[in-house]
Amino acid sequence: MSKDGIKKIVLAYSGGLDTSIIIPWLKENYPGAEVVAVCTNVGQDEDLSGLEKKALASGASKLYLLDVREEFVKDFLFPILRAGAIYEDKYLLGTSIARPLQAKHQVEVALKERADAVAHGCTGKGNDQVRFELAYKALGPHLKVIAPWRLWSIRSREEAIDYAKAHNVDLGKITKQKIYSRDGNLWHLSHEGGELEDPWNRPVEDMFQLTRSPQEAPDRETELTVDFEKGFPVGLNGKKLPPLALVEECNRLGAENGIGRADLVETRQVGMKSRGVYETPGGTILFTAHRELEMMTLDADTLHFKRQVALRYSELVYGGKWFTPLREALEAFMAKVSEYTTGSVRLVLYKGNLIVAGRRSPYSLYLKDLASFGASSYDHADATGFINLYGLATGVAAIVRRGVKKETGQVPEIEEMAGFHAE
């Protein structure tokens, strides 16, 4: 009998340093247990062709290599876009939204393989451990969770490499020198560590890998029209595109024009502040276009309340609570509120700038006749009564407070207030 009765473990596997050494570590610390590796292709810019050979050589019994890019866009990225979910006003949730999808497929493999446990390579300081494990609890609560970074004695990259060499793990081009910690997928590329750990330091240009520097971007404008139906993007420049192709084309155009760089100090789920730099070219284009369209199609009460709900939605996604009743309930709200978010937004991309050039919708609440400063059906005289009623509470409060002051000798008399008198 293996340790803790665990006979089979399904590992979230990327082929990087941490997950490469986790396989022999699991074999060593759970004697007799079989390790099954799962890698999900969410659009990370990596060569996955030799991954199976590497996983098997490290001690895994098999590798599941799953292409989930279409699902990623359709069922995860587009919902957060429709919700307008941006964490702490700047982070478009690139890594956050990928983890529940990756954990979902890991659990599905674990159930298929009749595994006893799941494992991941997240550290004990970051957000991803929370995201993976909350998904495990929601989708496979009976599975035991193994988090080596919270168990082993390895504490540095150097020690991890030494462990790999001692266990004959092929590291390829991995070396002890690693300036940045990066995570990439179809939506973004993140950068942490190195000189970024001092928030006063400006990121060096060599760090960026997706987007051109605005200085090096083309000396011409690129115009793009994004078409939406019920809050979801469905086409570019009047041409219908499937979700994956649409995001890829927005990424291409955004990256070429230096769009989508964000530098922020964010609040991690575990409480600490961390500094990260993100490249999200296509996502930035789509979020900007979506927001502009909503401002035409949603009434004030709905628009403002949706902004509040979007903040809560972003916190749920960032904190790994994708598979929860509240997030699912908010999704129903977002679907209802986006029934008329259909139309097109024209954008101009130029050297890191994203300029809104036009918007239109068959459900636009903007009526030129009402908004015009020229002759219209709007009766200006109606504003007098409206302001008197709208300002009633303000006026009453002022009268009462001035009356109290008069009794104490602080003001000479109660003054007449906008359109009505104190008795």
Side-chain angles (χ1 to χ4, degrees):
M1 179 67 69
S2 61
K3 182 180 177 182
D4 299 329
I6 295 175
K7 299 178 182 178
K8 185 179 288 190
I9 305 165
V10 174
L11 168 67
Y13 181 75
S14 67
L17 176 60
D18 291 345
T19 56
S20 292
I21 65 172
I22 283 175
I23 294 177
W25 185 88
L26 290 172
K27 301 283 288 184
E28 189 174 81
N29 288 270
Y30 295 84
E34 179 184 350
V35 178
V36 176
V38 179
C39 177
T40 48
N41 179 2
V42 288
Q44 58 269 45
D45 186 18
E46 298 173 8
D47 182 9
L48 304 177
S49 60
L51 208 59
E52 181 177 20
K53 180 179 178 181
K54 184 175 183 179
L56 298 180
S58 299
S61 63
K62 66 177 72 172
L63 170 72
Y64 284 82
L65 182 55
L66 309 174
D67 188 344
V68 298
R69 290 175 297 167
E70 287 281 3
E71 181 184 4
F72 186 36
V73 179
K74 181 176 177 291
D75 296 338
F76 290 78
L77 293 181
F78 279 7
I80 66 169
L81 170 64
R82 181 177 66 179
I86 302 176
Y87 183 71
E88 295 188 338
D89 297 326
K90 294 182 77 173
Y91 176 41
L92 301 188
L93 298 168
T95 296
S96 309
I97 193 59
R99 299 315 188 207
L101 172 61
Q102 293 170 312
K104 167 180 174 283
H105 284 281
Q106 183 186 2
V107 170
E108 288 175 353
V109 170
L111 298 177
K112 177 181 178 181
E113 290 282 340
R114 298 184 182 277
D116 310 293
V118 286
H120 61 73
C122 309
T123 72
K125 292 178 68 175
N127 300 303
D128 284 341
Q129 59 181 337
V130 179
R131 296 163 184 157
F132 271 102
E133 293 185 33
L134 289 189
Y136 298 158
K137 290 180 183 298
L139 305 175
H142 66 288
L143 295 168
K144 294 181 180 178
V145 178
I146 303 172
W149 268 104
R150 304 202 299 254
L151 300 171
W152 61 22
S153 59
I154 298 172
R155 286 295 175 264
S156 69
R157 182 176 181 82
E158 292 75 15
E159 290 180 4
I161 290 176
D162 290 340
Y163 183 93
K165 290 179 177 178
H167 291 77
N168 299 314
V169 175
D170 180 16
L171 295 179
K173 297 181 180 180
I174 295 174
T175 68
K176 292 187 178 182
Q177 301 301 317
K178 182 183 181 184
I179 300 176
Y180 304 108
S181 173
R182 289 187 169 102
D183 179 76
N185 58 46
L186 189 66
W187 199 235
H188 86 156
L189 179 65
S190 65
H191 312 267
E192 292 182 329
E195 78 276 355
L196 297 179
E197 291 184 352
D198 183 345
W200 185 250
N201 288 337
R202 178 178 178 175
V204 298
E205 188 58 36
D206 288 347
M207 180 197 71
F208 295 98
Q209 297 187 352
L210 288 184
T211 56
R212 279 192 185 187
S213 164
Q215 290 91 339
E216 299 299 323
D219 291 322
R220 67 180 186 279
E221 293 183 344
T222 297
E223 188 171 292
L224 173 68
T225 299
V226 186
D227 306 312
F228 291 87
E229 289 182 7
K230 296 185 177 182
F232 290 140
V234 294
L236 299 176
N237 300 323
K239 179 183 178 182
K240 294 280 187 179
L241 288 175
L244 177 57
L246 191 152
V247 170
E248 288 178 333
E249 180 62 7
C250 286
N251 276 337
R252 185 187 69 80
L253 292 171
E256 182 179 272
N257 288 278
I259 304 297
R261 295 182 176 186
D263 183 340
L264 64 147
V265 176
E266 68 194 66
T267 310
R268 285 184 180 175
Q269 200 63 29
V270 294
M272 71 180 70
K273 294 284 187 179
S274 67
R275 196 263 189 103
V277 175
Y278 300 94
E279 298 178 80
T280 319
T284 301
I285 290 172
L286 293 173
F287 263 96
T288 301
H290 179 264
R291 185 181 183 94
E292 288 298 320
L293 184 59
E294 277 194 333
M295 293 176 74
M296 287 190 73
T297 59
L298 298 184
D299 64 274
D301 284 342
T302 305
L303 178 67
H304 298 170
F305 186 71
K306 183 177 183 290
R307 294 283 186 266
Q308 298 176 46
V309 176
L311 174 62
R312 185 71 183 103
Y313 190 111
S314 73
E315 293 169 347
L316 292 173
V317 175
Y318 189 84
K321 293 188 175 182
W322 181 261
F323 299 109
T324 61
L326 178 56
R327 202 281 308 173
E328 292 170 359
L330 293 184
E331 207 65 68
F333 168 78
M334 295 301 176
K336 177 63 180 177
V337 86
S338 300
E339 282 182 327
Y340 300 105
T341 307
T342 294
S344 302
V345 176
R346 190 167 70 246
L347 301 170
V348 171
L349 288 59
Y350 181 68
K351 288 188 172 294
N353 295 290
L354 197 51
I355 304 161
V356 178
R359 65 286 262 174
R360 64 188 178 193
S361 170
Y363 304 108
S364 173
L365 301 182
Y366 175 88
L367 300 181
K368 185 178 179 180
D369 179 59
L370 281 176
S372 172
F373 284 100
S376 74
S377 59
Y378 183 86
D379 189 342
H380 292 259
D382 290 342
T384 301
F386 164 73
I387 294 171
N388 282 337
L389 292 176
Y390 187 67
L392 180 62
T394 302
V396 169
I399 289 172
V400 170
R401 289 164 187 165
R402 287 172 184 267
V404 171
K405 289 182 179 180
K406 178 187 176 186
E407 292 175 2
T408 60
Q410 295 184 39
V411 293
E413 61 183 21
I414 299 176
E415 297 175 358
E416 181 179 303
M417 300 300 297
F420 59 92
H421 304 275
E423 295 297 334

